[in-house]
């Protein structure tokens, strides 16, 4: 079992390190947690099952507060992902897209040169876990927000409003590998814990036990919503975006009601945005290497690892890959969804 070492625990006043303190929760919330099924967490000591999804306690606290206080607006844009599916990339693209008249992608002064995308687009659940009524800035007339919460854990009002939701999903094998690397960094830097062996993390993931998991239920809920309400939810895939980024950036622009004009196409605006938001460009910016992330309390570099499709083959045995493929295939049967 992992051994805590006080010396490795970050002193940063990030939301995350605060949320990892036992005493940051009220007695009432702790009692509520005790009433829920729990399993060992990847970062937090426990994950709790709430309405079919496994959540870290501060995610659950945020989800409950969202239900009480979040007022959706018709101009909202919510970017949603299962963790480690390319959230940072999606945030960068959406921000650059929405603000392209204000900030040219080539400009040295573009906000993405000096801000990590997580700092430009807040997570709803983290904002509401920290504050009952967080303030959200407008970006070109819209609140640009993000969430890792599944459809069923967001209030009905979100689905009834005219606000738009862009969902990005990723192959589960690459997602679990990315998740495992990320969690091991956080375990070490925030809790002084040793790394979780990959087979242990993989087994939890295959049982659906990871923050906002099960993966397949998260993805299926958004897939279903995108089929039933295509004007409300745009469903994107990381691998397809890697293959044909122009196609999917144009889709996103049209979906959000700001399609590229002929003049913009001719001037190379699409490729400019893609270059600015590419893994190579973002990961080499100073802000994304050494600056400490306000939410996480660790350096932003932790958010940029390889940015590749297929890295799972460096971590999984064939048997593991078969097991996960089979689970996901079974869960997606009849949905028309393939990852
Ligand atoms: P989050 O859930 O903590 O917000 P998220 O951004 O969804 O993380 O996922 C991180 C993954 O996206 C990393 O994948 P990897 O571990 O397999 O390398 C990260 O490298 C990748 N990533 C970050 N930025 C980009 C980008 N601009 N283009 C493509 N992939 C990216």
């Amino acid at each position: 079992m992992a051994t805590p070492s006080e010396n490795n625990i970050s002193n940063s006043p990030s939301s995350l390190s605060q949320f990892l303190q036992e005493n940051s929760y009220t007695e009432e919330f702790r009692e509520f947690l005790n009433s829920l099924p729990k399993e060992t967490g990847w970062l937090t000591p426990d994950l709790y099952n709430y309405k079919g999804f496994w959540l870290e306690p501060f995610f659950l606290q945020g989800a409950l507060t969202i239900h009480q206080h979040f007022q959706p607006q018709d101009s909202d844009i919510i970017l949603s992902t299962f963790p480690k599916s390319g959230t940072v990339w999606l945030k960068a693209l959406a921000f650059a897209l929405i603000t392209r008249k204000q900030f040219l992608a080539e400009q040295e002064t573009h906000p993405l040169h000096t801000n990590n995308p997580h700092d430009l687009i807040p997570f709803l659940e983290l904002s509401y876990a920290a504050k009952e009524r967080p303030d959200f800035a407008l970006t070109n007339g819209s609140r640009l927000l993000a969430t890792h919460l599944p459809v069923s854990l967001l209030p009905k009002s979100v689905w009834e409003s005219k606000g738009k939701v862009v969902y990005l999903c990723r192959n589960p094998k690459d997602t679990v590998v990315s998740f495992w690397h990320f969690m091991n960094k956080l375990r070490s830097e925030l809790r002084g814990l040793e790394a979780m062996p990959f087979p242990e993390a993989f087994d939890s993931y295959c049982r659906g036990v990871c923050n906002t998991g099960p993966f397949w239920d998260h993805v299926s809920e958004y897939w279903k919503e995108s089929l039933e309400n295509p004007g409300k939810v745009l469903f994107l895939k990381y691998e397809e975006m890697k293959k044909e980024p122009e196609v999917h950036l144009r889709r996103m622009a049209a979906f959000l009601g700001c399609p590229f004009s002929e003049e913009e196409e001719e001037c190379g605006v699409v490729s400019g945005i893609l270059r600015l938001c590419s893994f190579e460009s973002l990961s080499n910016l100073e802000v994304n290497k050494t600056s400490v992330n306000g939410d996480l309390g660790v350096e932003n570099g932790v958010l940029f690892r390889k940015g590749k499709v297929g890295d799972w083959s460096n971590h999984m045995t064939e048997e593991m890959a078969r097991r996960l493929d089979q689970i996901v295939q079974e869960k997606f049967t009849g949905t028309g969804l393939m990852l």
Side-chain angles (χ1 to χ4, degrees):
M1 199 59 207
T3 332
S5 141
E6 288 296 321
N7 297 341
N8 282 339
I9 295 175
S10 163
N11 288 324
S12 155
S14 74
S15 314
L16 195 48
S17 48
Q18 275 168 24
F19 293 139
L20 294 175
Q21 312 292 323
E22 278 262 307
N23 59 7
S24 64
Y25 301 109
T26 61
E27 188 62 39
E28 191 191 0
F29 183 65
R30 272 185 278 168
E31 261 174 41
F32 173 63
L33 289 178
N34 284 335
S35 72
L36 300 175
K38 68 177 180 179
E39 284 259 7
T40 305
W42 296 39
L43 172 64
T44 53
D46 299 301
L47 281 165
Y48 294 88
N49 195 296
Y50 181 65
K51 300 191 175 178
F53 285 91
W54 293 98
L55 298 174
E56 286 168 343
F58 54 96
F59 261 67
L60 177 51
Q61 192 185 42
L64 298 177
T65 316
I66 287 172
H67 274 263
Q68 285 174 326
H69 297 291
F70 180 58
Q71 309 263 337
Q73 294 176 8
D74 287 343
S75 54
D76 285 344
I77 296 172
I78 301 182
L79 309 176
S80 181
T81 48
F82 187 79
K84 313 322 287 180
S85 300
T87 323
V88 168
W89 190 19
L90 181 64
K91 284 185 177 186
L93 289 170
F95 182 86
L97 186 64
I98 300 299
T99 62
R100 68 188 191 264
K101 300 258 177 347
Q102 221 174 323
F103 308 114
L104 298 182
E106 293 72 23
Q107 271 174 346
E108 283 287 300
T109 51
H110 195 289
L112 280 168
H113 282 217
T114 44
N115 296 273
N116 176 263
H118 281 324
D119 295 333
L120 296 170
I121 305 181
F123 278 109
L124 276 173
E125 50 277 12
L126 295 183
S127 305
Y128 279 95
K131 250 181 171 186
E132 260 187 18
R133 291 169 207 278
D135 282 331
F136 297 117
L138 287 181
T139 305
N140 229 352
S142 291
R143 297 188 302 181
L144 266 182
L145 305 166
T147 188
H148 283 323
L149 292 174
V151 169
S152 57
L153 293 189
L154 286 168
K156 266 213 172 96
S157 54
V158 167
W159 304 106
E160 288 161 358
S161 81
K162 293 204 175 75
K164 304 258 185 182
V165 176
V166 180
Y167 185 72
L168 175 62
C169 77
R170 186 180 188 190
N171 181 299
K173 299 199 288 289
D174 281 334
T175 312
V176 62
V177 166
S178 183
F179 217 150
W180 173 70
H181 278 286
F182 179 68
M183 283 305 184
N184 280 342
K185 277 261 163 67
L186 297 189
R187 281 168 70 90
S188 153
E189 297 203 21
L190 299 176
R191 294 200 58 214
L193 298 177
E194 62 191 30
M196 214 177 166
F198 183 68
E200 195 182 301
F202 181 78
D203 185 64
S204 295
Y205 190 86
C206 287
R207 292 184 296 109
V209 183
C210 57
N211 193 28
T212 75
F215 167 87
W216 41 88
D217 288 339
H218 198 285
V219 177
S220 300
E221 285 193 354
Y222 279 97
W223 174 246
K224 185 163 173 272
E225 202 65 32
S226 74
L227 293 181
E228 286 171 5
N229 205 346
K232 171 83 184 173
V233 181
L234 176 69
F235 192 96
L236 298 171
K237 296 179 184 172
Y238 183 95
E239 295 74 19
E240 291 182 352
M241 300 231 325
K242 276 280 191 184
K243 215 171 178 182
E244 293 185 304
E246 306 83 10
V247 171
H248 299 287
L249 184 61
R250 287 191 190 105
R251 277 180 73 203
M252 181 156 56
F255 173 78
L256 294 177
C258 54
F260 291 102
S261 66
E262 252 176 57
E263 195 191 342
E264 285 182 311
E265 289 282 358
E266 276 163 22
C267 294
V269 175
V270 176
S271 50
I273 291 177
L274 290 171
R275 243 190 331 271
L276 170 68
C277 301
S278 67
F279 180 84
E280 292 66 30
S281 152
L282 291 185
S283 62
N284 280 309
L285 293 169
E286 206 45 51
V287 64
N288 292 328
K289 287 190 202 166
T290 50
S291 295
V292 172
N293 185 283
D295 283 338
L296 299 172
V298 300
E299 287 181 358
N300 282 325
V302 71
L303 296 161
F304 301 89
R305 197 179 60 90
K306 288 191 176 175
K308 291 211 158 76
V309 174
D311 185 45
W312 61 265
S313 61
N314 296 316
H315 295 81
M316 270 179 217
T317 61
E318 279 181 23
E319 194 189 330
M320 284 170 146
R322 251 196 317 274
R323 177 180 172 196
L324 186 49
D325 282 342
Q326 207 171 346
I327 294 171
V328 173
Q329 222 170 8
E330 271 172 27
K331 300 285 179 183
F332 289 169
T333 301
T335 64
L337 178 59
M338 302 240 289
L339 290 184

